[in-house]
Short mmCIF file of all heavy atoms in Angstrom, two decimals:
data_model
loop_
_atom_site.label_atom_id
_atom_site.label_comp_id
_atom_site.label_asym_id
_atom_site.label_seq_id
_atom_site.Cartn_x
_atom_site.Cartn_y
_atom_site.Cartn_z
N ILE A 1 10.65 5.22 2.31
CA ILE A 1 9.59 6.29 2.26
C ILE A 1 8.37 5.84 2.96
O ILE A 1 7.84 6.44 3.88
CB ILE A 1 9.35 6.81 0.89
CG1 ILE A 1 10.58 7.42 0.31
CG2 ILE A 1 8.19 7.78 0.83
CD1 ILE A 1 10.56 7.91 -1.10
N ASN A 2 7.82 4.67 2.48
CA ASN A 2 6.57 4.16 3.08
C ASN A 2 6.63 2.66 3.38
O ASN A 2 5.67 2.09 3.77
CB ASN A 2 5.35 4.47 2.20
CG ASN A 2 5.36 3.70 0.84
OD1 ASN A 2 6.39 3.13 0.47
ND2 ASN A 2 4.18 3.70 0.22
N ASP A 3 7.79 2.05 3.23
CA ASP A 3 7.87 0.69 3.44
C ASP A 3 7.61 0.23 4.84
O ASP A 3 7.24 -0.97 5.09
CB ASP A 3 9.27 0.08 2.93
CG ASP A 3 10.47 0.84 3.52
OD1 ASP A 3 10.35 1.92 4.02
OD2 ASP A 3 11.54 0.24 3.55
N ASP A 4 7.78 1.15 5.83
CA ASP A 4 7.48 0.76 7.18
C ASP A 4 6.01 0.94 7.52
O ASP A 4 5.55 0.57 8.62
CB ASP A 4 8.29 1.70 8.09
CG ASP A 4 7.90 3.15 7.95
OD1 ASP A 4 7.43 3.54 6.87
OD2 ASP A 4 8.17 3.96 8.86
N ASP A 5 5.19 1.28 6.55
CA ASP A 5 3.73 1.51 6.83
C ASP A 5 2.88 0.52 6.02
O ASP A 5 1.59 0.62 6.12
CB ASP A 5 3.41 2.96 6.38
CG ASP A 5 2.17 3.44 7.11
OD1 ASP A 5 1.84 2.96 8.21
OD2 ASP A 5 1.45 4.30 6.57
N LEU A 6 3.46 -0.42 5.31
CA LEU A 6 2.66 -1.39 4.49
C LEU A 6 1.71 -2.21 5.34
O LEU A 6 0.60 -2.40 4.93
CB LEU A 6 3.59 -2.26 3.69
CG LEU A 6 4.62 -1.52 2.74
CD1 LEU A 6 5.38 -2.51 1.93
CD2 LEU A 6 3.97 -0.58 1.84
N GLY A 7 2.22 -2.71 6.45
CA GLY A 7 1.34 -3.50 7.33
C GLY A 7 0.16 -2.70 7.82
O GLY A 7 -0.91 -3.21 7.95
N ASN A 8 0.40 -1.42 8.22
CA ASN A 8 -0.64 -0.55 8.72
C ASN A 8 -1.71 -0.40 7.65
O ASN A 8 -2.93 -0.35 7.94
CB ASN A 8 -0.06 0.75 9.17
CG ASN A 8 0.72 0.73 10.41
OD1 ASN A 8 0.53 -0.22 11.24
ND2 ASN A 8 1.68 1.60 10.54
N LEU A 9 -1.23 -0.17 6.34
CA LEU A 9 -2.24 -0.04 5.27
C LEU A 9 -3.08 -1.24 5.13
O LEU A 9 -4.31 -1.20 4.94
CB LEU A 9 -1.51 0.23 3.94
CG LEU A 9 -1.03 1.62 3.68
CD1 LEU A 9 -0.08 1.68 2.49
CD2 LEU A 9 -2.25 2.51 3.46
N VAL A 10 -2.50 -2.45 5.17
CA VAL A 10 -3.26 -3.73 5.00
C VAL A 10 -4.24 -3.81 6.18
O VAL A 10 -5.49 -4.08 6.01
CB VAL A 10 -2.28 -4.89 5.07
CG1 VAL A 10 -3.07 -6.24 5.22
CG2 VAL A 10 -1.52 -4.94 3.74
N ASP A 11 -3.83 -3.58 7.43
CA ASP A 11 -4.72 -3.72 8.53
C ASP A 11 -5.86 -2.71 8.41
O ASP A 11 -7.04 -3.10 8.65
CB ASP A 11 -3.98 -3.47 9.91
CG ASP A 11 -2.91 -4.50 10.18
OD1 ASP A 11 -2.97 -5.62 9.60
OD2 ASP A 11 -2.05 -4.21 11.00
N TRP A 12 -5.57 -1.51 8.12
CA TRP A 12 -6.63 -0.44 7.98
C TRP A 12 -7.63 -0.87 6.92
O TRP A 12 -8.79 -0.80 7.09
CB TRP A 12 -5.91 0.90 7.67
CG TRP A 12 -6.94 2.04 7.44
CD1 TRP A 12 -7.34 2.92 8.44
CD2 TRP A 12 -7.60 2.43 6.23
NE1 TRP A 12 -8.27 3.75 7.90
CE2 TRP A 12 -8.42 3.49 6.56
CE3 TRP A 12 -7.51 1.93 4.90
CZ2 TRP A 12 -9.20 4.21 5.61
CZ3 TRP A 12 -8.30 2.58 3.96
CH2 TRP A 12 -9.15 3.68 4.33
N ALA A 13 -7.09 -1.32 5.73
CA ALA A 13 -8.02 -1.61 4.62
C ALA A 13 -8.83 -2.87 4.99
O ALA A 13 -10.08 -2.79 4.78
CB ALA A 13 -7.14 -1.94 3.40
N TRP A 14 -8.29 -3.91 5.46
CA TRP A 14 -9.07 -5.13 5.79
C TRP A 14 -10.08 -4.88 6.86
O TRP A 14 -11.10 -5.48 6.83
CB TRP A 14 -8.10 -6.27 6.16
CG TRP A 14 -7.39 -6.87 4.93
CD1 TRP A 14 -7.71 -6.65 3.56
CD2 TRP A 14 -6.31 -7.71 4.97
NE1 TRP A 14 -6.86 -7.34 2.84
CE2 TRP A 14 -5.98 -8.10 3.59
CE3 TRP A 14 -5.52 -8.33 5.89
CZ2 TRP A 14 -4.94 -8.87 3.24
CZ3 TRP A 14 -4.47 -9.11 5.56
CH2 TRP A 14 -4.18 -9.41 4.33
N GLN A 15 -9.80 -4.01 7.81
CA GLN A 15 -10.79 -3.70 8.81
C GLN A 15 -12.05 -3.03 8.21
O GLN A 15 -13.10 -3.14 8.84
CB GLN A 15 -10.18 -2.70 9.86
CG GLN A 15 -9.18 -3.47 10.81
CD GLN A 15 -8.40 -2.45 11.62
OE1 GLN A 15 -8.59 -1.23 11.56
NE2 GLN A 15 -7.49 -2.95 12.40
N ARG A 16 -11.91 -2.44 7.07
CA ARG A 16 -13.02 -1.73 6.44
C ARG A 16 -13.57 -2.50 5.25
O ARG A 16 -14.51 -1.96 4.60
CB ARG A 16 -12.49 -0.34 6.05
CG ARG A 16 -12.34 0.59 7.20
CD ARG A 16 -11.36 1.69 6.90
NE ARG A 16 -11.21 2.52 8.07
CZ ARG A 16 -10.43 2.24 9.13
NH1 ARG A 16 -9.73 1.13 9.14
NH2 ARG A 16 -10.37 3.02 10.13
N GLY A 17 -13.08 -3.63 4.93
CA GLY A 17 -13.57 -4.36 3.74
C GLY A 17 -12.97 -3.80 2.44
O GLY A 17 -13.61 -3.98 1.38
N VAL A 18 -11.92 -3.13 2.54
CA VAL A 18 -11.24 -2.51 1.35
C VAL A 18 -10.07 -3.43 0.91
O VAL A 18 -9.41 -4.01 1.82
CB VAL A 18 -10.71 -1.10 1.75
CG1 VAL A 18 -9.79 -0.54 0.66
CG2 VAL A 18 -11.87 -0.16 2.00
N THR A 19 -9.81 -3.57 -0.35
CA THR A 19 -8.74 -4.37 -0.82
C THR A 19 -7.48 -3.51 -0.99
O THR A 19 -7.53 -2.59 -1.76
CB THR A 19 -9.05 -5.03 -2.18
OG1 THR A 19 -10.24 -5.82 -2.03
CG2 THR A 19 -7.99 -5.82 -2.72
N PRO A 20 -6.40 -3.84 -0.30
CA PRO A 20 -5.16 -3.11 -0.54
C PRO A 20 -4.35 -3.80 -1.67
O PRO A 20 -4.31 -4.96 -1.77
CB PRO A 20 -4.40 -3.32 0.85
CG PRO A 20 -4.90 -4.66 1.34
CD PRO A 20 -6.33 -4.81 0.82
N ARG A 21 -3.78 -2.91 -2.48
CA ARG A 21 -2.97 -3.39 -3.58
C ARG A 21 -1.63 -2.60 -3.58
O ARG A 21 -1.60 -1.38 -3.47
CB ARG A 21 -3.66 -3.16 -4.91
CG ARG A 21 -4.96 -3.91 -5.04
CD ARG A 21 -5.57 -3.86 -6.39
NE ARG A 21 -5.45 -2.62 -7.18
CZ ARG A 21 -5.65 -2.57 -8.49
NH1 ARG A 21 -5.97 -3.59 -9.19
NH2 ARG A 21 -5.51 -1.45 -9.08
N PHE A 22 -0.57 -3.35 -3.67
CA PHE A 22 0.75 -2.73 -3.71
C PHE A 22 1.30 -2.85 -5.11
O PHE A 22 1.29 -3.89 -5.76
CB PHE A 22 1.72 -3.43 -2.72
CG PHE A 22 1.22 -3.17 -1.26
CD1 PHE A 22 0.53 -4.21 -0.60
CD2 PHE A 22 1.46 -2.01 -0.67
CE1 PHE A 22 0.04 -3.98 0.68
CE2 PHE A 22 0.92 -1.76 0.62
CZ PHE A 22 0.29 -2.74 1.32
N ILE A 23 1.82 -1.70 -5.55
CA ILE A 23 2.33 -1.53 -6.93
C ILE A 23 3.84 -1.30 -6.83
O ILE A 23 4.28 -0.50 -6.04
CB ILE A 23 1.65 -0.38 -7.57
CG1 ILE A 23 0.13 -0.68 -7.59
CG2 ILE A 23 2.11 -0.15 -9.01
CD1 ILE A 23 -0.71 0.57 -7.95
N GLU A 24 4.57 -2.05 -7.67
CA GLU A 24 6.01 -1.85 -7.68
C GLU A 24 6.31 -0.55 -8.42
O GLU A 24 5.61 -0.20 -9.42
CB GLU A 24 6.67 -3.02 -8.43
CG GLU A 24 6.66 -4.29 -7.66
CD GLU A 24 7.46 -5.36 -8.33
OE1 GLU A 24 8.68 -5.16 -8.60
OE2 GLU A 24 6.88 -6.46 -8.62
N LEU A 25 7.31 0.16 -7.98
CA LEU A 25 7.76 1.40 -8.64
C LEU A 25 8.23 1.14 -10.04
O LEU A 25 8.96 0.25 -10.27
CB LEU A 25 8.93 2.02 -7.80
CG LEU A 25 9.50 3.33 -8.35
CD1 LEU A 25 8.53 4.46 -8.20
CD2 LEU A 25 10.79 3.62 -7.55
N MET A 26 7.60 1.94 -10.96
CA MET A 26 7.98 1.80 -12.36
C MET A 26 9.07 2.83 -12.67
O MET A 26 8.95 4.02 -12.27
CB MET A 26 6.77 2.13 -13.25
CG MET A 26 5.60 1.16 -13.04
SD MET A 26 6.02 -0.47 -13.69
CE MET A 26 5.94 -0.19 -15.44
N PRO A 27 10.15 2.49 -13.37
CA PRO A 27 11.27 3.39 -13.64
C PRO A 27 10.93 4.32 -14.79
O PRO A 27 11.66 4.43 -15.73
CB PRO A 27 12.39 2.45 -13.97
CG PRO A 27 11.73 1.25 -14.53
CD PRO A 27 10.36 1.10 -13.89
N LEU A 28 9.71 4.99 -14.78
CA LEU A 28 9.27 5.91 -15.80
C LEU A 28 8.89 7.20 -15.15
O LEU A 28 8.37 7.22 -14.01
CB LEU A 28 8.08 5.27 -16.51
CG LEU A 28 8.24 3.88 -17.10
CD1 LEU A 28 6.86 3.37 -17.55
CD2 LEU A 28 9.16 3.97 -18.28
N GLY A 29 8.98 8.28 -15.86
CA GLY A 29 8.53 9.59 -15.33
C GLY A 29 9.04 9.93 -13.97
O GLY A 29 10.28 9.84 -13.69
N GLU A 30 8.13 10.19 -12.95
CA GLU A 30 8.49 10.50 -11.61
C GLU A 30 9.16 9.31 -10.92
O GLU A 30 9.99 9.54 -10.09
CB GLU A 30 7.22 10.94 -10.82
CG GLU A 30 6.66 12.28 -11.26
CD GLU A 30 7.61 13.46 -11.11
OE1 GLU A 30 8.26 13.57 -10.06
OE2 GLU A 30 7.72 14.20 -12.08
N GLY A 31 8.79 8.07 -11.28
CA GLY A 31 9.33 6.90 -10.74
C GLY A 31 10.81 6.80 -11.00
O GLY A 31 11.65 6.39 -10.19
#
């Protein structure tokens, strides 16, 4: 779904001084 975009997220965030955080899918509710 978005695994091909993780690097783009990191680059975008770091260019702006934003901290990117990746969260593992939790097998609860919608997950």
Side-chain angles (χ1 to χ4, degrees):
I1 296 177
N2 68 346
D3 55 338
D4 61 338
D5 204 27
L6 304 182
N8 292 332
L9 276 169
V10 167
D11 295 342
W12 180 91
W14 284 346
Q15 288 168 2
R16 288 159 179 79
V18 170
T19 301
R21 298 189 324 164
F22 295 101
I23 301 167
E24 291 185 55
L25 179 67
M26 298 289 289
L28 307 167
E30 293 298 314

